[in-house]
Amino acid sequence: MAVWRTPYVNAASSPSAEDVGWARQVIDELDEDGHGVHDGSDLPTLAKAKKITELARAFHVGVSR
C-alpha cells in the first residue's frame, strides 16, 4: 500500500463519532466489567461496544477514557 493512501484507509477503518457515542452509552449502562448486564443478550452488545472503543482509541477518534 502506498503511504499516501494511509489516511483514506484509516478513515474507512475507524469507527464513526456516532458509533463511539453509542459505545460509550452502552458501556456506561452495562459497565466495562459487565456488572450491569441484565441477560445474555447484553453480552454481545457490550463486546461490540468494547471493540468500537478499542478501535476509537487506536485511531484517536473521540475517546477520552
Side-chain angles (χ1 to χ4, degrees), residues 18-33:
E18 292 82 17
D19 288 341
V20 174
W22 172 84
R24 278 190 192 146
Q25 182 180 9
V26 168
I27 291 171
D28 286 347
E29 289 175 12
L30 300 179
D31 193 35
E32 185 90 27
D33 297 327

Side-chain angles (χ1 to χ4, degrees), residues 9-64:
V9 172
N10 286 348
S13 301
S14 64
S16 69
E18 292 82 17
D19 288 341
V20 174
W22 172 84
R24 278 190 192 146
Q25 182 180 9
V26 168
I27 291 171
D28 286 347
E29 289 175 12
L30 300 179
D31 193 35
E32 185 90 27
D33 297 327
H35 290 102
V37 170
H38 303 290
D39 59 43
S41 68
D42 288 339
L43 295 175
T45 303
L46 180 58
K48 183 176 181 178
K50 286 180 169 183
K51 183 63 177 178
I52 289 171
T53 302
E54 180 183 318
L55 287 171
R57 284 189 187 118
F59 288 103
H60 304 287
V61 178
V63 175
S64 58

